[in-house]
Amino acid sequence: MKNPDMIKRYTMFMVGVIASALGISLITKAGLGTSPVTSPAFVLTFLFPFSLGTFTMMVNTLMFGLQAVILGRDFERVQLLQLPSALLFSACIDGWSRLFSFWPVRSYLSSVVVLAAGCVFLGLGIALEVVPDVLILPGEGLVRAIVRRFGLHFGHVKRAFDLILVLAAAVLSVAATGKILGIREGTVAAALVVGPISHFFIGRIHSLARGEKLVPEQLTCLAENEEESGAANL
């Protein structure tokens, strides 16, 4: 792979990380919950005086460690770059959140519109992360590690993983406060629509990427995996 092509692929991935962080921030700003993968970090913001980005980085670091343990000697060194990618993702979540802190969402209709915009940006971000096939964030990295180690179906593991994270967030919330915080209809909506949105964008980016000399076979495979996952959220 030529260096200019690799630079384009890494640039696309980083733009995807920034777009995904924007999507997460908008979904959270809507006040209707957050995406499944960020639900544990979001619940922790109600319990401790730290930002969503800070807890997102902590959770991602834990996921990174788990995938390294699961893969053992099969863990590739290039995946160490997941940590700075997760740091960028977490910092962008806080950056976007601060930017939107001056923007009030006053009605339920406004919340729904902001939620929808967040789902679109999150879906676009996921597509931009998946298509280049250079890196992944620790959340999906852990899912892929489980699939690789145990030979399971990616879509099934992804859905189970998201469900476990939401349940863990709910249990933590109830145990600490006696009620469910941060998990609402927006969480369910994100779980249902972000996957199809990301698959839509993957198809469009895939077509454009052919002209940029990205590997067609890899992109086709990734698009199929994304379709199978159904709800491939960050």
Side-chain angles (χ1 to χ4, degrees):
M1 182 65 65
K2 297 179 181 179
N3 287 335
D5 292 331
M6 188 60 72
I7 291 172
K8 289 178 182 178
R9 291 168 67 182
Y10 273 98
T11 300
M12 183 184 293
F13 173 81
M14 288 188 290
V15 171
V17 170
I18 295 170
S20 293
L22 173 58
I24 293 293
S25 299
L26 286 171
I27 291 171
T28 306
K29 179 66 179 180
L32 302 176
T34 191
S35 70
V37 174
T38 52
S39 55
F42 189 44
V43 168
L44 287 170
T45 64
F46 292 98
L47 308 179
F48 302 99
F50 298 103
S51 68
L52 177 59
T54 299
F55 282 122
T56 297
M57 186 63 200
M58 292 180 181
V59 172
N60 274 269
T61 301
L62 175 61
M63 292 177 179
F64 174 83
L66 289 174
Q67 67 176 286
V69 170
I70 290 171
L71 291 177
R73 294 181 179 179
D74 293 330
F75 185 79
E76 299 173 354
R77 290 184 180 180
V78 69
Q79 294 306 327
L80 291 171
L81 293 175
Q82 287 183 35
L83 289 178
S85 299
L87 181 60
L88 173 64
F89 178 59
S90 303
C92 287
I93 287 176
D94 281 349
W96 288 118
S97 297
R98 290 191 183 96
L99 182 63
F100 296 143
S101 63
F102 303 100
W103 173 29
V105 179
R106 302 185 185 280
S107 67
Y108 190 81
L109 178 60
S110 297
S111 294
V112 172
V113 172
V114 174
L115 171 65
C119 289
V120 170
F121 276 107
L122 181 54
L124 173 61
I126 291 171
L128 290 170
E129 293 168 24
V130 168
V131 168
D133 192 27
V134 287
L135 284 174
I136 48 178
L137 290 173
E140 185 174 347
L142 179 54
V143 173
R144 291 190 182 186
I146 294 171
V147 170
R148 181 176 176 182
R149 174 59 64 189
F150 301 105
L152 302 175
H153 186 278
F154 179 86
H156 296 164
V157 174
K158 175 61 180 173
R159 283 187 286 271
F161 180 71
D162 287 348
L163 179 60
I164 289 171
L165 288 177
V166 172
L167 290 176
V171 170
L172 175 62
S173 178
V174 172
T177 67
K179 57 184 178 180
I180 295 179
L181 298 172
I183 302 172
R184 291 183 53 184
E185 59 268 37
T187 306
V188 178
L192 293 176
V193 306
V194 171
I197 290 172
S198 65
H199 180 62
F200 169 82
F201 282 120
I202 284 172
R204 300 304 179 274
I205 297 170
H206 179 209
S207 299
L208 294 173
R210 289 180 184 275
E212 297 296 328
K213 298 182 180 179
L214 297 176
V215 182
E217 291 79 8
Q218 290 179 325
L219 299 177
T220 302
C221 179
L222 288 167
E224 291 173 351
N225 285 340
E226 188 67 19
E227 183 178 18
E228 291 175 353
S229 69
N233 304 335
L234 280 180

